[in-house]
Amino acid sequence: MQTLSMALRLNNTPVELINTLQTIALAGKDIDFKLRQGSLGGVLGSAGNQNVQGETQKKLDVISNDLLKKVLLECGSVRAIASEEEETYVEGPKDGSYLVNFDPLDGSSNIDINAMVGTIFSIYPDQSTPLSEASFLQPGNNQVAAGYILYGPSTMLVLTTGQGVQMFTLDPAMGEFILTSDQVKVSEQTQEFAINMSNQRFWAEPMQNYIGDLLAGKEGKRAKNFNMRWVAAMVGDVHRVLCRGGLFTYPWDSREPNKAGKLRLMYEANPMSFLIEQAGGLSWTDSERILSIQPTAIHQRVPVILGSSEEVKQCLKSHGVTI
């Protein structure tokens, strides 16, 4: 039985990176406890504010963000953080080695109905002096670690340090994350996809055509039936892909300027893409590999197509892209 720290040491993970990952795991345990209190802890409902994205904040958005920010900037290994809930980066000790991006509570609209939510994180080396926003604008290929904590029927930490994907399950009795799946692989083929169908009328024609082919099932040009799933939290949909294959996509639509997409590159698309690629899958926009994108802003948005490699290729083919 391997705890998180044991598994990281066996992978020869640098000590400061182990410290950073253990700090995130510790914060995850605290967030998990607050979520399980629910109404008893007075943490449900709206905080009455909007974040920098213009989205209504839930109380636990704010609580989770403040908790992660505090513990990461105090752990000694982190130079600065950037969060979905912060307008710009927040600086910590000057001798920290890493920059951490995070979405403190992905899928927070699910909180009040007791459905799946999670914390997504991405860790980069600090490569610049002095520190500035440009320090964070590194392509996803530069990530040294990434992952998420999924708060569901069991609480799971899923991560990669570039040596494959590992899944840890929180043992409530021990208070430790225990390794439960090692070297996770995404199946190449799938008959399952996840997309928010309520936006269908706004999609570009290539995505309309691709999804139409999936919905046509065995009688259509793909000649097989597909199941559609949608958790409304990226962590839940990506976790399903890692566990049993599938395709997850959040395409750009006609309401968004410059085909920007909805999901944030630095703390949603990049960490999930790192995980998916480490598990043998693919992760692209409708035109380029996500981990190769040079960011231009901390809160930059991109369209996302990720999951089982052969199905991602099929989707890209509908967009005129062959890989």
Side-chain angles (χ1 to χ4, degrees):
M1 184 170 63
Q2 292 181 30
T3 63
L4 172 63
S5 59
M6 291 170 59
L8 291 171
R9 287 197 300 270
L10 287 171
N11 284 341
N12 296 314
T13 308
V15 172
E16 284 198 316
L17 185 54
I18 292 177
N19 181 47
T20 304
L21 289 166
Q22 286 184 311
T23 300
I24 292 171
L26 180 64
K29 294 175 194 175
D30 201 350
I31 295 168
D32 177 65
F33 175 75
K34 295 181 187 305
L35 279 164
R36 293 185 186 281
Q37 283 185 303
S39 294
L40 298 175
V43 296
L44 302 187
S46 172
N49 302 312
Q50 288 189 332
N51 63 16
V52 66
Q53 320 289 335
E55 300 164 340
T56 300
Q57 291 178 309
K58 298 290 186 178
K59 290 178 183 177
L60 264 171
D61 283 323
V62 178
I63 292 169
S64 301
N65 181 73
D66 290 348
L67 173 62
L68 280 159
K69 179 170 63 174
K70 181 177 187 296
V71 298
L72 283 168
L73 294 180
E74 290 179 352
C75 77
S77 304
V78 176
R79 175 80 185 279
I81 62 95
S83 164
E84 180 183 17
E85 307 300 330
E86 301 285 341
E87 185 172 354
T88 187
Y89 68 89
V90 182
E91 190 168 358
K94 288 183 167 42
D95 55 353
S97 300
Y98 299 110
L99 307 175
V100 181
N101 302 282
F102 58 82
D103 181 347
L105 208 61
D106 178 63
S108 57
S109 61
N110 283 344
I111 294 171
D112 293 343
I113 60 168
N114 202 30
M116 204 174 289
V117 294
T119 296
I120 308 173
F121 61 89
S122 173
I123 304 174
Y124 288 81
D126 176 24
Q127 298 180 328
S128 62
T129 302
L131 187 72
S132 68
E133 180 173 339
S135 306
F136 282 85
L137 303 183
Q138 304 179 46
N141 283 327
N142 286 13
Q143 292 173 104
V144 296
Y148 58 83
I149 302 173
L150 181 68
Y151 311 107
S154 61
T155 298
M156 300 189 69
L157 168 62
V158 181
L159 67 82
T160 181
T161 58
Q163 301 180 65
V165 175
Q166 295 179 307
M167 292 184 175
F168 299 82
T169 302
L170 181 61
D171 182 340
M174 293 178 60
E176 294 280 357
F177 282 101
I178 307 299
L179 181 65
T180 47
S181 294
D182 200 5
Q183 296 303 313
V184 175
K185 295 297 179 186
V186 175
S187 60
E188 294 183 4
Q189 305 282 348
T190 186
Q191 290 180 247
E192 201 163 77
F193 69 101
I195 192 168
N196 186 351
M197 286 295 294
S198 68
N199 295 329
Q200 181 177 12
R201 64 194 183 279
F202 302 112
W203 300 335
E205 185 177 354
M207 187 58 74
Q208 293 267 12
N209 293 338
Y210 169 72
I211 297 298
D213 289 341
L214 301 189
L215 295 174
K218 194 172 182 179
E219 293 73 30
K221 63 188 294 185
R222 295 294 302 278
K224 67 177 181 179
N225 294 324
F226 285 81
N227 290 324
M228 184 172 66
R229 299 288 184 266
W230 185 250
V231 175
M234 191 184 190
V235 284
D237 285 306
V238 171
H239 188 72
R240 185 182 56 251
V241 170
L242 286 169
C243 289
R244 66 187 196 200
L247 179 132
F248 167 85
T249 180
Y250 212 119
W252 66 270
D253 65 45
S254 59
R255 297 168 297 178
E256 299 154 0
N258 303 317
K259 302 181 181 180
K262 183 179 188 327
L263 299 177
R264 273 60 62 129
L265 173 64
M266 299 303 295
Y267 42 84
E268 292 176 326
N270 271 342
M272 294 307 200
S273 298
F274 193 16
L275 285 168
I276 289 293
E277 288 201 1
Q278 283 290 309
L282 293 174
S283 186
W284 280 55
T285 68
D286 55 356
S287 62
E288 60 186 324
R289 177 175 172 258
I290 287 175
L291 292 181
S292 299
I293 296 173
Q294 175 58 53
T296 57
I298 287 175
H299 299 294
Q300 180 178 346
R301 297 173 184 253
V302 292
V304 172
I305 304 166
L306 63 75
S308 296
S309 58
E310 292 304 314
E311 199 56 44
V312 172
K313 290 176 183 177
Q314 286 285 345
C315 185
L316 291 172
K317 187 176 178 182
S318 297
H319 290 80
V321 177
T322 302
I323 60 173

